[in-house]
Amino acid sequence: MVVEAQVEDLADGVPLGVLDELAGYHLRRASHVMSTDFSRAMAGTGIRQVLFAILSIVANSPGINQGAAGRALAIQRANMVSLITELVEAGLIERRTAPDDRRAFALTVTPAGTEKIAECLHRIRAHEDRVFSGLSLAERAALIELLRRVEANAE
Amino acid sequence: MVVEAQVEDLADGVPLGVLDELAGYHLRRASHVMSTDFSRAMAGTGIRQVLFAILSIVANSPGINQGAAGRALAIQRANMVSLITELVEAGLIERRTAPDDRRAFALTVTPAGTEKIAECLHRIRAHEDRVFSGLSLAERAALIELLRRVEANAE
DNA sequence: TATTGTTATACTCTATAACTATA
DNA sequence: TATAGTTATAGAGTATAACAATA
């Protein structure tokens, strides 16, 4: 046990020092590993992490406002504009003036968007299984639960 | 159980759908929450997450090569250059030609760098305590352990 | 007066390829 | 031929401020 501790503190044979006890560092690293593998898994689909998140939330709340979708995903209004345009131009999302509020846009997923979500989901599930191959299903669920509680702490 | 699931699935009153079961999404969100609070906590110090990671690893392995430090932190050679320059110009790190390999740079932390690390560490600990206030110490340790195992899965 | 979406802009992080100087 | 560091560059994520239209 003690012998292993020395090894766990190493990255590429180099000791991380205090860094190894900081959750923020590990969150950053693990997130980076995930993103990298996600991109690989999605190659050719034109879908990135943010785009899939938007598709998913719009599919679950048809007619949702651009701003509301962004808020739920912690994406700023200003940054939503080009992301939604990207999805609209790809034919995956429809953007219509909201019937009840002429300032807002009501978003819906097109049939092509629904198909795309299904296709991506297959790839994403395989990707997650790959990256989390070192964790049991229970551990993966525990990780998600812990992360949810960290998220809840945002302002 | 089933009743709670509906509530947990919400972000800002909006259901996330399948997204909520994807570890990658939560990793991304939690990491973002951390980064944001980290930046706030470090305001005025001139230190960002990457810079602190570099300082920490160099402090732990005085004389380490620029490339080796980068590899341990998963920072590409090309991106290390300006980061190290930044730390050198801030007077926190010294960059000398390695005595045994004239291609390489041996990095060491200056006395000012050591002080800076201590100052930052205070702030970082307070920042982590704040963000992880919803988790017990055991849960925080469990989270770190799970994240380490995800990192280990990188190529 | 507040909110929705928009534009413009800037900074950081990450990635790739091509170069040089040493080994 | 391989490695250490460099330069240049590009794409993506995120942040802020100011504006128009509508509520």
Side-chain angles (χ1 to χ4, degrees):
Chain A
M1 283 292 186
V2 177
V3 177
E4 280 179 36
Q6 287 183 311
V7 176
E8 286 180 65
D9 195 19
L10 301 174
D12 231 47
V14 178
L16 292 176
V18 66
L19 214 54
D20 197 49
E21 275 119 57
L22 296 181
Y25 169 72
H26 291 290
L27 218 35
R28 197 176 133 78
R29 281 297 293 268
S31 186
H32 183 237
V33 168
M34 273 305 270
S35 301
T36 304
D37 196 80
F38 184 96
S39 298
R40 247 179 246 155
M42 291 301 146
T45 64
I47 297 301
R48 307 189 301 280
Q49 277 189 300
V50 214
L51 297 182
F52 183 80
I54 296 175
L55 280 176
S56 175
I57 210 167
V58 173
N60 259 271
S61 298
I64 190 173
N65 279 4
Q66 194 170 301
R71 244 173 278 129
L73 297 171
I75 303 171
Q76 319 238 352
R77 269 176 309 165
N79 297 326
M80 280 296 282
V81 182
S82 60
L83 292 169
I84 295 297
T85 300
E86 210 177 333
L87 290 168
V88 168
E89 283 174 355
L92 305 176
I93 271 197
E94 214 164 30
R95 172 175 48 185
R96 290 188 219 152
T97 304
D100 54 320
D101 184 343
R102 279 156 48 219
R103 293 172 301 180
F105 280 142
L107 306 176
T108 45
V109 171
T110 65
T114 304
E115 260 182 67
K116 184 68 97 177
I117 292 174
E119 182 207 342
C120 287
L121 213 42
H122 269 100
R123 296 192 188 216
I124 292 173
R125 292 233 155 92
H127 138 75
E128 294 227 336
D129 287 347
R130 202 182 317 131
V131 179
F132 292 105
S133 59
L135 272 59
S136 70
L137 282 180
E139 287 171 331
R140 210 202 287 196
L143 173 61
I144 291 180
E145 184 49 35
L146 290 169
L147 292 173
R148 274 200 201 110
R149 287 206 258 148
V150 174
E151 291 166 42
N153 222 302
E155 260 141 300
Chain B
M1 283 289 188
V2 176
V3 177
E4 281 180 36
Q6 287 184 309
V7 177
E8 286 179 64
D9 195 15
L10 301 175
D12 229 48
V14 179
L16 292 176
V18 66
L19 214 53
D20 196 50
E21 275 120 57
L22 296 182
Y25 169 73
H26 291 289
L27 219 34
R28 196 175 134 79
R29 279 299 292 268
S31 185
H32 182 236
V33 168
M34 274 304 270
S35 303
T36 303
D37 195 80
F38 185 96
S39 298
R40 246 179 247 156
M42 292 300 147
T45 64
I47 297 300
R48 306 188 302 279
Q49 277 187 302
V50 214
L51 297 182
F52 183 80
I54 296 174
L55 279 176
S56 174
I57 209 167
V58 173
N60 258 270
S61 298
I64 190 174
N65 279 4
Q66 195 170 303
R71 243 172 281 128
L73 297 170
I75 303 172
Q76 319 239 352
R77 271 175 308 166
N79 297 327
M80 280 294 281
V81 183
S82 60
L83 292 169
I84 296 297
T85 300
E86 210 176 332
L87 290 169
V88 168
E89 284 175 355
L92 306 175
I93 272 197
E94 215 165 30
R95 171 176 47 185
R96 290 188 220 149
T97 304
D100 54 320
D101 184 343
R102 279 157 45 220
R103 294 172 302 183
F105 281 143
L107 306 176
T108 47
V109 172
T110 65
T114 305
E115 261 183 66
K116 184 67 96 176
I117 291 174
E119 183 206 341
C120 288
L121 213 40
H122 269 100
R123 295 190 187 218
I124 292 174
R125 293 232 155 92
H127 138 75
E128 294 226 335
D129 287 347
R130 201 181 319 131
V131 180
F132 292 104
S133 59
L135 271 60
S136 69
L137 283 180
E139 286 170 331
R140 210 202 288 195
L143 174 60
I144 291 180
E145 184 49 35
L146 290 169
L147 292 172
R148 276 202 200 107
R149 287 206 257 148
V150 174
E151 291 166 42
N153 222 303
E155 261 141 301

